[in-house]
């Protein structure tokens, strides 16, 4: 079978590339080793967000871009992306004082061109009224801002449905075993349990495989040097009765990261970790370790009064791998969430990095290169 374009990877970026190409009446085939949205794209923190913590790294362009996209999708797909308040409790020992956090929220709203829904900052008393299970000692108050809570799995499925309606084709549970280039065409030798070995060809090849990028590119170029800095993010689903949150919170951790506490219909989501993996640890359906679980529980419990979360309060856990692009001398927290596009060979493009929220921009930038 021949297609003008083949996209390897049916996560949020691959499906959006297919949607945009097919919208322009271009022929496109998407090949996925598992199923659509089965890996990283269903294992996010369930948010479309500008990334308020990226202001600390002065990533203003990324925050502006992400906020624009967040506001676009809350209007375009309100069934899957819902605007919601987030509160940042600030304590005496917090890294930044309350006035700095309020200034950060103002800047966040400014970068949204004041399209973010506004929520009032809270005094100490108001914070404890809204979150009575928070520890009182050292509390100064809370800064409040707006982001969107999403159903990431079904959001991606909806994007793929739109692509299919436009004429894009998706093949799932099909593993690419080799990539060759002959006569101005790419030849993908694939394997399926049901079909056995099958071959597909295309004029233009796009690799949008997130954390699996390096593994797939080496099927074509064995000398390819890794560009991905894989960072594992673990999350826990907690019983509502164990953590009766009324609104979403953002907690600063003791190692200067943040943990989200997000209220969902059936449970409360808490996360995330940021653990660098080596290449051998990058695989499908990665699991949270005991250390991951302890890290999240311990950091959240540091903020609680009268509640202590234990493993008995956990309904489930999941992990995703952030496909960060390596930046010399920077750890995962300081590594930019900007995406990068590589033109490895004639009509062969690789897109890596980025964040879930900016998937539409990533697809647009990739298509400009074709």
């Amino acid at each position: 079978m021949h297609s003008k374009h083949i996209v390897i990877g049916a996560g949020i970026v691959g499906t959006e590339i297919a949607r945009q190409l097919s919208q322009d009446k271009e022929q496109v085939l998407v090949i996925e080793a598992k199923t659509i949205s089965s890996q990283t794209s269903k294992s996010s923190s369930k948010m479309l967000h500008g990334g308020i913590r990226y202001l600390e790294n002065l990533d203003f362009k990324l925050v502006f871009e992400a906020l624009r996209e967040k506001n676009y999708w809350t209007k375009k797909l309100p069934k899957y992306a819902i605007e919601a308040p987030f509160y940042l409790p600030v304590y005496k020992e917090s890294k930044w004082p309350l006035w700095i956090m309020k200034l950060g929220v103002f800047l966040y709203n400014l970068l949204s061109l004041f399209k973010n829904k506004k929520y009032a900052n809270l005094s100490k008393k108001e914070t404890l009224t809204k979150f009575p299970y928070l520890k009182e000692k050292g509390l100064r108050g809370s800064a409040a801002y707006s982001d969107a809570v999403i159903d990431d799995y079904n959001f991606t499925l909806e994007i793929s449905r739109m692509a299919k309606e436009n004429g894009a084709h998706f093949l799932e549970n099909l593993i690419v075993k080799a990539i060759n280039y002959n006569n101005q065409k790419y030849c993908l030798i694939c394997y399926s349990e049901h079909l056995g070995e099958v071959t597909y060809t295309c004029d233009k090849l796009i690799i949008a495989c997130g954390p699996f990028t390096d593994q797939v590119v080496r099927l074509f170029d064995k000398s390819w040097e890794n560009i991905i800095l894989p960072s594992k993010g673990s999350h826990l689903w907690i019983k509502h009765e164990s953590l009766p949150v009324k609104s979403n919170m953002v907690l600063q951790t003791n190692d200067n990261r943040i943990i989200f506490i997000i209220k969902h219909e059936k449970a409360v989501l808490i996360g995330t970790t940021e653990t660098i993996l080596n290449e051998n640890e990058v695989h499908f359906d990665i699991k949270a370790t005991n250390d991951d679980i302890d890290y999240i529980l311990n950091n959240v419990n540091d903020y609680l009064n009268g509640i202590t979360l234990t493993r008995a309060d956990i309904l489930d856990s999941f992990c995703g791998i952030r496909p960060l692009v390596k930046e010399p001398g920077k750890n995962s927290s300081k590594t930019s969430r900007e995406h990068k596009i590589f033109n490895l060979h004639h009509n062969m493009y690789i897109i890596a990095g980025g964040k879930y929220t900016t998937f539409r921009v990533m697809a647009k930038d990739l298509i400009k290169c074709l």
Side-chain angles (χ1 to χ4, degrees):
M1 178 179 173
H2 181 79
S3 178
K4 183 175 180 181
H5 304 88
I6 287 181
V7 179
I8 304 177
I12 187 62
V13 176
T15 57
E16 175 63 8
I17 291 169
R19 185 185 75 87
Q20 291 188 26
L21 283 172
S22 58
Q23 189 172 265
D24 293 336
K25 309 304 179 186
E26 295 281 356
Q27 186 186 34
V28 57
L29 170 67
V30 183
I31 294 176
E32 168 56 45
K34 290 289 197 175
T35 56
I36 298 168
S37 189
S38 65
Q39 297 301 308
T40 304
S41 293
K42 74 164 186 180
S43 303
S44 74
S45 294
K46 319 297 180 192
M47 291 188 295
L48 291 181
H49 66 121
I52 195 165
R53 77 185 182 95
Y54 305 148
L55 294 177
E56 185 179 349
N57 297 339
L58 307 180
D59 284 337
F60 301 130
K61 177 179 176 292
L62 175 63
V63 174
F64 174 81
E65 196 173 69
L67 285 170
R68 181 189 62 200
E69 292 302 298
K70 182 265 293 184
N71 287 318
Y72 173 86
W73 287 110
T74 52
K75 292 179 176 61
K76 179 81 171 177
L77 292 179
K79 180 179 177 181
Y80 303 107
I82 301 169
E83 195 89 7
F86 285 76
Y87 293 89
L88 282 152
V90 177
Y91 286 80
K92 181 181 179 181
E93 64 272 20
S94 295
K95 181 179 181 180
W96 301 109
L98 185 57
W99 73 269
I100 289 283
M101 299 305 293
K102 289 178 179 179
L103 184 61
V105 167
F106 174 80
L107 178 57
Y108 200 62
N109 289 333
L110 174 64
L111 289 170
S112 79
L113 303 180
F114 297 105
K115 292 181 180 178
N116 278 358
K117 189 172 181 180
K118 291 184 179 179
Y119 294 96
N121 298 316
L122 303 180
S123 65
K124 175 180 177 177
K125 183 179 179 181
E126 290 168 332
T127 300
L128 291 172
T129 299
K130 195 169 192 67
F131 305 104
Y133 43 80
L134 279 179
K135 68 176 183 179
E136 182 178 357
K137 185 178 179 182
L139 181 64
R140 295 294 189 253
S142 298
Y145 67 96
S146 171
D147 267 332
V149 177
I150 65 167
D151 175 350
D152 54 2
Y153 175 68
N154 283 306
F155 189 102
T156 305
L157 287 185
E158 178 64 14
I159 298 297
S160 70
R161 185 194 64 77
M162 294 160 71
K164 290 174 185 177
E165 279 189 351
N166 293 336
H169 295 279
F170 286 73
L171 295 176
E172 300 176 283
N173 297 305
L174 189 65
I175 299 172
V176 179
K177 306 294 285 186
I179 302 172
N180 301 310
Y181 184 72
N182 295 300
N183 299 321
Q184 303 293 309
K185 289 182 173 57
Y186 288 95
C187 177
L188 280 64
I189 301 170
C190 307
Y191 176 80
S192 162
E193 258 188 44
H194 300 295
L195 301 175
E197 188 172 284
V198 288
T199 300
Y200 298 92
T201 61
C202 64
D203 300 322
K204 297 182 180 182
L205 180 62
I206 299 161
I207 296 174
C209 297
F212 308 102
T213 297
D214 293 322
Q215 298 171 20
V216 172
V217 175
R218 269 198 296 276
L219 296 174
F220 177 79
D221 182 356
K222 290 181 172 56
S223 66
W224 174 261
E225 293 187 7
N226 288 356
I227 60 168
I228 299 296
L229 180 68
S231 170
K232 182 175 71 167
S234 300
H235 301 77
L236 307 178
W237 287 110
I238 302 293
K239 300 173 185 176
H240 272 307
E241 57 268 29
S242 300
L243 191 57
V245 296
K246 295 179 181 178
S247 292
N248 309 311
M249 280 195 299
V250 185
L251 306 179
Q252 300 173 64
T253 67
N254 50 30
D255 58 348
N256 293 324
R257 295 194 67 258
I258 57 174
I259 283 185
F260 296 102
I261 298 180
I262 304 175
K263 182 181 179 181
H264 287 259
E265 184 180 353
K266 295 181 179 179
V268 176
L269 181 66
I270 60 174
T272 176
T273 61
E274 193 154 351
T275 307
I276 296 303
L277 305 177
N278 61 51
E279 187 179 7
N280 294 330
E281 295 174 301
V282 176
H283 54 78
F284 295 129
D285 305 312
I286 194 166
K287 305 294 183 186
T289 65
N290 286 331
D291 285 346
D292 296 329
I293 293 169
D294 287 341
Y295 173 88
I296 296 171
L297 291 179
N298 290 340
N299 272 286
V300 173
N301 282 332
D302 282 347
Y303 281 87
L304 300 181
N305 176 37
I307 296 176
T308 302
L309 297 178
T310 69
R311 278 175 162 74
D313 300 306
I314 300 172
L315 293 171
D316 201 1
S317 65
F318 66 89
C319 292
I321 305 175
R322 301 177 192 88
L324 307 179
V325 179
K326 289 181 179 179
E327 292 185 289
K330 291 188 177 182
N331 61 26
S332 59
S333 292
K334 295 296 182 182
T335 297
S336 174
R337 269 53 175 174
E338 293 276 5
H339 61 277
K340 294 184 180 177
I341 296 169
F342 302 85
N343 181 198
L344 177 61
H345 194 260
H346 177 66
N347 283 336
M348 180 180 187
Y349 299 91
I350 301 153
I351 186 161
K355 59 200 293 287
Y356 192 112
T357 307
T358 56
F359 70 91
R360 185 173 69 122
V361 176
M362 294 172 68
K364 279 184 180 179
D365 288 350
L366 185 285
I367 290 170
K368 287 176 187 175
C369 298
L370 298 180

